[in-house]
């Protein structure tokens, strides 16, 4: 141990999803630090531990939704469908934990309530919900960017006689067979749930606020030899992924929709529709759908026409058809619009006919109808990015809390560090990369490991400063404002939570550009980080 101050652990990690697990691994195995990871769930897996709703799956294609660091596991672990379902992702994460013997350093069922800096010793005290406190010189928060659940406040919620559940808190004992189910929300989660539950439930009522664009996923069994093909190419695959923009394993298009004929646009969109995948549709077809409103409208128009073709009832098709720009996180699903041709599925537009209250029998809408239900599901998303940070007492220099520091907006340097919080690093903090997330998690964890290694080897405290953080915020805002994404309200800007100030929450220039920034920081003596000598312990 290089620091004269004695602490319980060198480093504490909070959160046992993809991010925290890899961080525990690198700090322990590469730096040889003593590390404790605290996780409030009863198991590891993060997102994939909590989200057990019917239909829960990744919409990143299977080969690319996994770690790259364990080369042996890449060869051993197989998959049978184009996309991996939640149980398989969870089993995969559990296998990683098992084979690297990580569980011995993980404390499950332990919610962290506060993380407080002691400036006299530059150490952090981390306190659990049970009131136990631990100290460490470094803290890595891997709290999840889509993990703090958002449940709307609707009058009469408590009066409902059936069961109410948020998709990210799906209980093991809730079966939908033979039930009348209602679902509020038609985002990525909602559409997955709708497709799956429409096959199980007796009757499904979908309460849709803003309709979204959804393209086919192309899901299905893998072709013979497909998995082996990927396995033989993993080195080049990860190089391509980290050298791309959205890290989804395909080459982004270099052709602008604005530069080709309408016929060519139609051909390319149709090909992408047949291929499947939301990010592919937005970034693999043309390079300007996310930055040029006219090109974006061409894609939107194509999807609208598909909805009209697929959905039999014109009134249902009208309600399902978005009019806004195609500018939220792109969705994909297998046979989503087809579901609305089923007799047991009913669509209620709560934009036109709002929910007024929940009553014992179900959901009452403004037209006076009570939609009778046994189960009411909220697929209403998350207080994204900073949500979990606001739910703990995170106190840095001068007693300033993260909440106070982020009063105007959650900000950071590189999505990793924020001013006044020395030796505390975030994975997927505010203004980190907007991509397929496991590759970006790996990039960030590896960089945080370098920062901590710098602290250890040079006996310095590592922290960022306000001017540097402000500079990164400007870069992120400029990039985001050059895209079409601010044209709609969504969690990408924190605009889905009532009362939350809308702000830029992501670095939208892609993983390649992000990696280049990190490489430049590292090559220039950790540019943007202040490195100050560790204080000597009073009684050392
Ligand atoms: P998480 O997996 O969210 O883990 C955070 C952990 O921190 C949780 O286990 C939580 O319990 C714990 N925690 C939080 N606060 C505390 C506390 N105070 N004390 C103790 N523990 C705490 N991303 C993609 O790239 N592709 C996809 O296809 C995709 N699909 C998704 C589908 C769903 C339904 C959801 C919800 C998300 C999806 N995501 C997807 C995003 C996904 O969250 C990330 O890909 C990734 O799993 C995030 O890993 P993480 O470790 O950063 O966070
Ligand atoms: P999203 O994308 O935030 O979607 C939430 C959905 O819930 C969306 O349709 C919302 O409608 C709807 N919603 C939210 N609040 C309300 C209220 N108060 N009333 C009615 N409807 C509401 O969350 P997801 O979980 O689907 O996806 C988030 C990410 O996690 C996703 O990218 C995946 O990676 C997993 P709105 O559009 O706001 O009108």
């Amino acid at each position: 141990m290089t620091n004269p101050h004695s602490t319980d652990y060198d480093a504490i990690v909070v959160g046992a999803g993809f991010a925290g697990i890899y961080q525990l691994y690198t700090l322990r195995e590469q730096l040889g630090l003593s590390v404790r990871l605290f996780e409030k769930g009863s198991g590891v897996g993060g997102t994939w531990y909590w989200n057990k709703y019917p239909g829960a799956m990744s919409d990143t294609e299977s080969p690319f939704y996994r770690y790259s660091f364990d080369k042996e596991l890449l060869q051993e672990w197989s998959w049978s469908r184009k996309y991996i379902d939640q149980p398989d992702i969870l089993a995969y994460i559990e296998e990683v934990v098992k084979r690297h013997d990580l569980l011995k350093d993980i404390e499950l069922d332990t919610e962290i309530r506060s993380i407080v800096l002691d400036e006299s010793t530059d150490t952090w005290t981390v306190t659990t919900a049970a009131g136990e406190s631990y100290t460490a010189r470094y803290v890595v928060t891997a709290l999840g960017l889509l993990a703090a659940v958002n449940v709307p406040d609707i009058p009469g919620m408590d009066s409902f006689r059936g069961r109410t559940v948020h998709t990210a808190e799906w209980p093991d004992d809730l079966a939908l067979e033979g039930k009348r189910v209602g679902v509020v929300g038609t985002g990525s989660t909602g559409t997955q749930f709708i497709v799956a539950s429409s096959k199980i439930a007796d009757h499904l009522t979908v309460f849709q606020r803003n309709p979204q664009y959804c393209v086919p996923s192309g899901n299905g069994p893998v072709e013979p030899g497909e998995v082996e093909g990927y396995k033989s190419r993993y080195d080049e695959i990860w190089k391509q992924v980290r050298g791309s923009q959205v890290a989804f394993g395909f080459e982004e298009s270099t052709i602008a929709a604005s530069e080709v004929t309408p016929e060519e646009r139609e051909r390319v969109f149709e090909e992408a529709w047949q291929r499947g995948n939301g990010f592919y549709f937005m970034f693999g077809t043309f390079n300007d759908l996310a930055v040029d409103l006219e090109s974006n409208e061409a894609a939107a128009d194509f999807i609208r026409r598909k909805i009209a073709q697929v959905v039999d009832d014109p009134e249902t098709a009208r309600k399902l058809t978005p009019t806004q720009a195609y500018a939220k996180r792109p969705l994909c699903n297998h046979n989503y619009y087809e579901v609305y041709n089923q007799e047991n599925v009913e669509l209620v537009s709560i934009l036109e006919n709002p929910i007024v209250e929940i009553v014992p029998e179900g959901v009452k809408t403004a037209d006076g109808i009570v939609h009778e239900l046994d189960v009411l599901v909220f697929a209403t998303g998350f207080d994204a990015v900073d949500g979990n940070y606001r739910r703990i007492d995170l106190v840095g220099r001068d007693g300033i809390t993260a909440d106070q520091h982020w009063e105007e907006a959650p900000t950071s340097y590189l999505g990793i560090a924020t001013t006044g919080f020395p030796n505390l690093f975030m994975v997927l903090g505010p203004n980190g990369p907007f991509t397929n997330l496991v590759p970006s998690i790996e990039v960030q964890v590896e960089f945080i490991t370098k920062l901590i290694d710098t602290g250890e080897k040079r006996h310095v405290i590592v922290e960022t400063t306000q001017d540097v953080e402000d500079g990164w915020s400007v870069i992120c805002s400029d990039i985001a404002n050059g895209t079409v994404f601010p044209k709609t309200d969504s969690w990408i800007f924190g605009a889905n939570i009532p009362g939350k100030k809308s702000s830029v929450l992501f670095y939208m220039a892609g993983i390649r550009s992000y990696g280049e920034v990190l490489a430049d920081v590292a090559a220039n003596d950790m540019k943007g980080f202040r490195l100050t000598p560790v204080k000597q312990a009073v009684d050392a």
Side-chain angles (χ1 to χ4, degrees):
M1 192 181 290
T2 55
N3 190 302
H5 297 288
S6 168
T7 52
D8 295 310
Y9 302 102
D10 295 329
I12 286 176
V13 177
V14 187
F18 270 107
I21 286 168
Y22 186 39
Q23 190 69 75
L24 166 61
Y25 171 84
T26 65
L27 295 180
R28 199 184 76 182
E29 299 301 316
Q30 295 171 8
L31 303 191
L33 300 183
S34 68
V35 191
R36 197 76 183 152
L37 185 158
F38 295 103
E39 164 58 54
K40 72 177 170 194
S42 303
V44 300
T47 291
W48 306 103
Y49 167 82
W50 294 107
N51 287 267
K52 292 181 176 159
Y53 58 87
M57 64 189 298
S58 165
D59 65 6
T60 302
E61 286 162 80
S62 303
F64 319 109
Y65 198 68
R66 60 196 62 229
Y67 294 119
S68 70
F69 79 90
D70 187 332
K71 290 197 172 8
E72 281 174 20
L73 187 56
L74 282 174
Q75 295 307 317
E76 286 170 28
W77 202 259
S78 286
W79 60 95
S80 57
R81 295 178 65 76
K82 305 257 183 204
Y83 294 86
I84 12 178
D85 294 333
Q86 172 272 330
D88 294 335
I89 307 174
L90 185 59
Y92 166 81
I93 298 176
E94 287 170 347
E95 171 62 18
V96 172
V97 166
K98 191 168 148 219
R99 67 197 271 126
H100 296 291
D101 197 17
L102 297 174
L103 206 53
K104 66 180 183 200
D105 293 317
I106 299 177
E107 197 89 26
L108 297 171
D109 293 310
T110 309
E111 181 176 352
I112 297 306
R113 287 278 171 81
S114 72
I115 303 176
V116 180
L117 178 69
D118 177 349
E119 283 197 76
S120 67
T121 57
D122 288 320
T123 56
W124 289 97
T125 300
V126 173
T127 303
T128 70
E132 285 163 344
S133 291
Y134 302 90
T135 54
R137 288 178 288 118
Y138 302 97
V139 171
V140 180
T141 46
L143 308 180
L145 82 175
L146 291 159
V149 302
N150 168 45
V151 179
D153 188 14
I154 303 175
M157 286 275 266
D158 293 341
S159 70
F160 183 51
R161 273 204 300 261
R163 275 181 89 166
T164 305
V165 60
H166 187 282
T167 44
E169 292 171 338
W170 197 266
D172 289 336
D173 67 340
L174 180 54
L176 302 181
E177 280 79 3
K179 303 250 168 60
R180 296 165 303 172
V181 178
V183 55
V184 182
T186 53
S188 178
T189 301
T191 55
Q192 288 182 354
F193 175 78
I194 289 161
V195 170
S197 63
S198 70
K199 299 190 179 80
I200 316 170
D202 204 37
H203 190 269
L204 178 67
T205 311
V206 177
F207 297 96
Q208 171 196 268
R209 198 162 63 180
N210 287 292
Q212 288 204 49
Y213 299 92
C214 187
V215 307
S217 62
N219 201 7
V222 291
E223 308 292 332
E226 188 178 322
V227 174
E228 290 67 31
Y230 282 114
K231 285 184 177 180
S232 69
R233 290 189 290 112
Y234 259 125
D235 283 347
E236 66 185 88
I237 284 173
W238 296 125
K239 206 163 154 232
Q240 190 280 332
V241 164
R242 287 197 186 194
S244 70
Q245 190 182 347
V246 291
F248 269 72
F250 58 80
E251 296 288 340
E252 282 92 6
S253 174
T254 52
I255 298 164
S258 57
E259 285 170 6
V260 301
T261 60
E263 293 73 27
E264 176 62 3
R265 276 204 299 264
E266 195 74 4
R267 186 192 69 74
V268 171
F269 287 143
E270 182 61 36
E271 208 172 80
W273 186 268
Q274 297 307 329
R275 177 199 182 280
N277 190 269
F279 274 77
Y280 184 84
F281 198 89
M282 191 178 269
F283 295 96
T285 50
F286 295 105
N287 69 0
D288 58 348
L289 303 190
V291 292
D292 180 307
L293 270 179
E294 263 183 51
S295 298
N296 184 275
E297 171 56 22
D301 177 62
F302 179 89
I303 302 173
R304 287 187 206 120
R305 282 184 280 123
K306 285 289 187 189
I307 298 171
Q309 282 165 22
V310 171
V311 180
D312 296 340
D313 173 39
E315 181 58 5
T316 304
R318 182 190 65 75
K319 289 180 191 160
L320 283 167
T321 304
T323 52
Q324 295 178 327
Y326 178 35
K328 297 187 179 181
R329 182 190 185 277
L331 308 186
C332 64
N333 232 300
H334 186 60
N335 286 350
Y336 174 62
Y337 293 116
E338 284 79 351
V339 161
Y340 293 93
N341 295 334
Q342 289 180 210
E343 278 193 1
N344 67 333
V345 179
E346 179 188 354
L347 178 70
V348 177
S349 166
I350 55 173
L351 265 190
E352 299 171 1
N353 181 21
I355 295 175
V356 286
E357 62 175 326
I358 312 278
V359 294
E361 299 78 22
V363 171
K364 187 171 178 185
T365 41
D367 56 4
I369 292 178
V370 173
H371 303 267
E372 293 190 12
L373 304 170
D374 303 308
V375 182
L376 177 56
V377 176
F378 287 101
T380 41
F382 303 89
D383 183 354
V385 183
D386 56 321
N388 268 337
Y389 286 82
R390 310 271 190 188
R391 292 174 193 202
I392 57 179
D393 207 14
L394 180 49
V395 187
R397 289 202 186 285
D398 304 320
I400 305 278
T401 64
D403 240 358
Q404 289 166 331
H405 177 53
W406 290 343
E407 200 184 342
E408 283 309 309
T411 54
S412 79
Y413 179 42
L414 309 173
I416 283 177
T418 192
T419 313
F421 295 82
N423 279 358
L424 182 141
F425 306 109
M426 304 173 282
V427 192
L428 301 182
N431 288 340
F434 181 75
T435 63
N436 170 29
L437 287 169
V438 184
S440 285
I441 285 172
E442 284 196 325
V443 167
Q444 289 199 321
V445 165
E446 286 159 16
F447 190 77
I448 290 169
T449 308
K450 272 189 202 154
L451 288 171
I452 294 179
D453 194 33
T454 303
E456 288 296 276
K457 290 209 173 106
R458 292 168 59 177
H459 303 255
V460 289
I461 304 291
V462 182
E463 62 191 304
T464 193
T465 56
Q466 195 59 54
D467 55 331
V468 169
E469 185 166 343
D470 290 346
W472 184 250
S473 300
V474 170
I475 289 171
C476 293
S477 293
D478 287 350
I479 295 165
N481 290 334
T483 73
V484 295
F485 288 103
K487 299 284 173 207
T488 61
D489 287 343
S490 76
W491 61 265
I492 299 175
F493 296 90
N496 60 327
I497 302 296
K500 184 168 174 170
K501 288 180 193 162
S502 184
S503 67
V504 171
L505 293 176
F506 287 96
Y507 176 77
M508 293 191 142
I511 191 169
R512 178 193 180 131
S513 153
Y514 182 73
E516 286 167 356
V517 172
L518 294 187
D520 182 52
V521 170
N524 288 284
D525 199 26
M526 295 301 175
K527 185 171 74 176
F529 289 95
R530 190 167 66 199
L531 309 176
T532 45
V534 168
K535 293 186 194 88
Q536 293 304 306
V538 179
D539 57 354

